[in-house]
């Protein structure tokens, strides 16, 4: 009986260990991000992912008591990669839009900053309206709310789409385009660098909710309601406990969460 009890206890302990191991394995979240959109997400020369999105993702994972594992993915393929289970969520400054909601579900926003137009300092562009930019060539990253806005608004301009923000910046530096459209925070970050010294912010654009949406959210596969609500609860928690402000103040001099 004693031997039998010991065997039984040993088997029970082994089963418990397997159960705990399985539970722990499930508590790893793979986070998809672009890694080419500073100051939100960027891959450094030594292969480190840094930026506001990355710090927010880590804070949310810590709040949910799960492990974050980051996966970099080109922007054009980031939603298909989520749908193909390459990762569990996208935290990559993705604006919440009705068009994207046809493919993925979103959490509540985790930030909301306005778009802007940037141009060389010696350019004669006076504002951000369609009239101000008529006849100009405008660079913008494709498959973004900024490209959707540019194509819908600047109909008398030549809107040129780029795979990444770095590529339109290079063309702006070299005079191959007249202006560019992107998030004001991304542009201000670039203007503070040596490369960005060429240019200036012409002005910010009043967001159009039908195009720009209510802000950037975390994208997950459709129907994964439990994961979405866990993220929502974690966003509320880091907003309440000061962690969000700590991360915000590391990157911005204003509240990126928006009104």
């Amino acid at each position: 009986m004693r031997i039998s009890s010991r065997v039984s206890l040993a088997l029970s302990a082994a089963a418990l260990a397997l159960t705990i191991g399985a539970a722990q394995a499930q508590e790893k979240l793979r986070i998809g991000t672009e890694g080419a959109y500073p100051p939100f997400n960027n891959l450094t020369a030594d292969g480190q992912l840094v930026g506001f999105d990355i710090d927010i993702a880590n804070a949310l994972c810590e709040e949910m008591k799960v492990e974050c594992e980051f996966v970099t993915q080109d922007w054009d393929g980031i939603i298909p990669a989520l749908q193909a289970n390459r990762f569990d969520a996208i935290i990559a400054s993705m604006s919440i839009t009705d068009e994207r909601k046809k493919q993925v579900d979103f959490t509540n926003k985790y930030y909301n900053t306005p778009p802007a137009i940037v141009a060389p300092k010696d350019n004669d562009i006076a504002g951000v309206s369609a009239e101000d930019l008529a006849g100009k060539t405008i660079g913008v990253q494709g498959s973004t709310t900024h490209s959707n806005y540019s194509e819908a608004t600047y109909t008398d301009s030549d809107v040129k789409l780029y795979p990444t923000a770095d590529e339109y910046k290079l063309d702006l530096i070299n005079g191959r385009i007249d202006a560019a459209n992107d998030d004001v925070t991304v542009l201000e970050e670039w203007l503070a660098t040596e490369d960005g010294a060429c240019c200036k912010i012409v002005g910010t654009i009043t967001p159009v909710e039908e195009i720009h949406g209510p802000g950037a959210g975390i994208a997950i596969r459709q129907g994964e309601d439990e994961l979405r609500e866990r993220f929502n609860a974690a966003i509320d928690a880091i907003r309440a406990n000061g962690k969000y402000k700590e991360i915000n103040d590391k990157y911005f001099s204003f509240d990126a969460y928006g009104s």
Side-chain angles (χ1 to χ4, degrees):
M1 289 294 293
R2 186 174 296 171
I3 293 173
S4 177
S5 296
R6 286 175 179 171
V7 170
S8 178
L9 286 170
L11 289 172
S12 296
L16 179 60
L18 286 172
T19 301
I20 291 171
Q24 288 175 336
Q26 291 171 352
E27 290 301 298
K28 178 181 284 188
L29 282 180
R30 296 164 300 158
I31 307 297
T33 196
E34 184 185 14
Y37 197 59
F40 294 103
N41 59 81
N42 191 43
L43 198 60
T44 64
D46 61 354
Q48 298 297 309
L49 272 170
V50 297
F52 180 78
D53 288 332
I54 309 307
D55 288 358
I56 289 291
N58 280 319
L60 295 176
C61 285
E62 182 179 353
E63 184 66 34
M64 294 189 291
K65 296 180 170 50
V66 299
E67 180 184 349
C68 267
E69 179 182 292
F70 291 98
V71 180
T72 55
Q73 171 67 50
D74 289 345
W75 181 257
D76 285 349
I78 205 164
I79 287 179
L82 173 67
Q83 294 170 326
N85 296 311
R86 188 167 183 231
F87 32 79
D88 304 302
I90 298 170
I91 303 183
S93 294
M94 182 172 283
S95 297
I96 303 164
T97 67
D98 288 339
E99 188 63 29
R100 288 178 179 145
K101 284 180 181 179
K102 296 174 184 177
Q103 304 177 75
V104 297
D105 287 344
F106 281 100
T107 64
N108 299 335
K109 72 170 185 177
Y110 65 96
Y111 82 83
N112 189 16
T113 51
I117 293 292
V118 66
K121 290 177 178 176
D122 59 358
N123 200 293
D124 61 356
I125 297 172
V128 301
S129 71
E131 292 76 16
D132 291 321
L133 288 154
K136 305 295 186 182
T137 301
I138 304 169
V140 61
Q141 185 175 6
S143 301
T144 64
T145 54
H146 306 301
S147 62
N148 293 341
Y149 178 85
S150 294
E151 290 181 314
T153 304
Y154 301 121
T155 52
D156 292 327
S157 305
D158 178 16
V159 176
K160 187 174 181 182
L161 305 184
Y162 293 83
T164 69
D166 287 341
E167 289 167 276
Y168 78 64
K169 290 172 185 173
L170 186 61
D171 273 5
L172 195 59
I173 292 169
N174 291 316
R176 289 189 283 265
I177 57 176
D178 302 302
N181 178 9
D182 209 332
D183 185 283
V184 67
T185 311
V186 171
L187 296 176
E188 286 182 342
E189 172 89 356
W190 177 59
L191 293 180
T193 69
E194 185 177 345
D195 286 343
C198 62
C199 301
K200 64 181 180 181
I201 298 286
V202 175
T204 56
I205 295 167
T206 301
V208 177
E209 185 152 340
E210 293 78 9
I211 297 176
H212 296 103
I218 299 166
I220 59 173
R221 285 182 289 276
Q222 291 181 330
E224 296 191 356
D225 298 342
E226 181 182 353
L227 181 58
R228 184 188 68 237
E229 291 314 311
R230 288 176 71 193
F231 270 122
N232 281 337
I235 292 169
D236 290 343
I238 67 170
R239 287 281 295 165
N241 66 20
K243 187 63 178 179
Y244 185 97
K245 186 178 188 306
E246 177 187 325
I247 296 169
N248 182 96
D249 293 352
K250 176 180 173 181
Y251 294 95
F252 314 124
S253 60
F254 57 91
D255 184 5
Y257 189 78
S259 58

